[in-house]
Amino acid sequence: MAKKILILGGTAEAARLARRAVDAFGERAQIITSLAGRTRTRSELPGQVRVGGFGGTQGLADYLKADAIDAVIDATHPFAATISAHAATACKEAGVPRLVLVRAPWRPKPGHSWTDVDDLNAAADALVGAAKRAFLTTGRGGIETFAAVPDVWFLVRLMEPPQKPLPLPDHQVIVQRPPFTVESERALLAEHRIDTLVAKNSGGITEAKIDAALAMGVRVVLIRRPPPPPGETVETVEQAMAWLQERI
Ligand code: NAP
């Protein structure tokens, strides 16, 4: 009988894993990708896709049991701490093996340095009196944290147009999706005369903005990741495939 694999998704790695698993396991596995449903557009995914929250930890545990899920891969974004915590508890309760797939964080290269902060509030504090034109790449959630920062103009990059005006006094929105190149990021920073980049330490392909900013002497304020979820963890799709191979 086909094994049922649930991938908690919303990342490029989750999408790549779904593609690889569908190709590699064929009828031996049923690959289900779960998305929170935050974006209106999403890339084409093979296998099954379910959209929307499970209704907390208990809802996820009930889903795992009712759908007889054989294994879970938590491939959500490193800043999606709530769903990861729910998955850890729910899998334990339902007795379902779980692997965390999370990309490596960015680490400074020789000669590079940036300002590490703990959260959005600390990032906003780090701008006060130090920035005039800031590039915000932290996503839609929590933008209001920057509303009270005085005398700063914000360039805000989002994946989709905002549905209502952003709660920032002085700003411009650009809608762009990765991948980006160091050259295009340099051009953007220069065009808008950015002096400070604010980003989450997401890791992965959006590193071009960090490289571009550091090369141009633009200050980088990087928000640290929340504590990682417990349990076996890998950093690459290949390692996650090897883990699945043992179970299918
Ligand atoms: P979160 O704070 O950890 O989760 C909030 C709630 O959203 C969860 O309790 C769960 O609802 C639901 N949820 C989250 N991910 C889900 C998934 N893959 N499938 C089904 N339900 C999910 O998550 P978030 O930070 O808002 O991120 C939402 C999604 O966007 C994640 O899947 C993540 O991979 C992706 N994403 C997040 C970021 C980021 O910076 N946070 C960046 C890029 C992509 P219930 O409690 O009802 O189950």
Side-chain angles (χ1 to χ4, degrees):
M1 212 166 75
K3 296 275 186 188
K4 280 193 178 180
I5 309 298
L6 177 68
I7 300 174
L8 297 171
T11 58
E13 288 77 11
R16 270 185 32 233
L17 179 63
R19 278 183 217 112
R20 288 279 305 273
V22 165
D23 285 352
F25 302 124
E27 303 216 322
R28 287 186 291 141
Q30 194 179 332
I31 307 296
I32 307 155
T33 299
S34 175
L35 301 172
R38 298 277 191 276
T39 54
R40 276 163 280 156
T41 52
R42 51 182 164 262
S43 56
E44 206 53 43
L45 286 167
Q48 274 172 248
V49 178
R50 67 160 300 287
V51 181
F54 295 94
T57 306
Q58 195 53 52
L60 178 53
D62 292 345
Y63 171 90
L64 297 175
K65 290 183 225 169
D67 276 44
I69 299 294
D70 292 294
V72 170
I73 306 230
D74 174 4
T76 56
H77 192 270
F79 280 80
T82 305
I83 186 69
S84 289
H86 290 181
T89 308
C91 286
K92 202 167 174 187
E93 188 197 312
V96 175
R98 174 185 61 98
L99 179 74
V100 178
L101 166 60
V102 66
R103 55 177 96 130
W106 295 312
R107 297 190 177 90
K109 296 170 187 160
H112 280 171
S113 74
W114 56 61
T115 305
D116 282 308
V117 295
D118 280 339
D119 51 27
L120 288 170
N121 283 313
D125 288 346
L127 299 185
V128 177
K132 286 277 172 228
R133 299 178 68 83
F135 182 24
L136 269 190
T137 61
T138 50
R140 202 177 31 171
I143 284 273
E144 63 284 357
T145 314
F146 295 89
V149 178
D151 305 324
V152 178
W153 176 86
F154 290 98
L155 177 66
V156 183
R157 180 158 67 196
L158 299 175
M159 303 265 275
E160 294 187 335
Q163 279 173 321
K164 48 185 186 188
L166 297 184
L168 294 176
D170 200 8
H171 72 278
Q172 179 184 332
V173 173
I174 49 169
V175 178
Q176 293 178 339
R177 284 173 175 261
F180 307 110
T181 65
V182 176
E183 292 67 36
S184 67
E185 297 290 56
R186 282 184 79 123
L188 189 69
L189 294 171
E191 180 191 346
H192 294 281
R193 291 176 287 116
I194 297 297
D195 58 37
T196 308
L197 164 70
V198 183
K200 292 175 173 172
N201 193 340
S202 302
I205 57 165
T206 52
E207 190 170 16
K209 65 188 169 201
I210 312 279
D211 287 342
L214 292 173
M216 292 169 73
V218 169
R219 182 182 180 217
V220 175
V221 175
L222 212 53
I223 301 171
R224 287 191 189 92
R225 295 177 172 197
E232 188 177 350
T233 301
V234 296
E235 289 185 350
T236 67
V237 168
E238 289 65 36
Q239 290 168 308
M241 281 297 291
W243 187 86
L244 280 178
Q245 201 88 49
E246 285 173 16
R247 285 161 181 81
I248 292 171

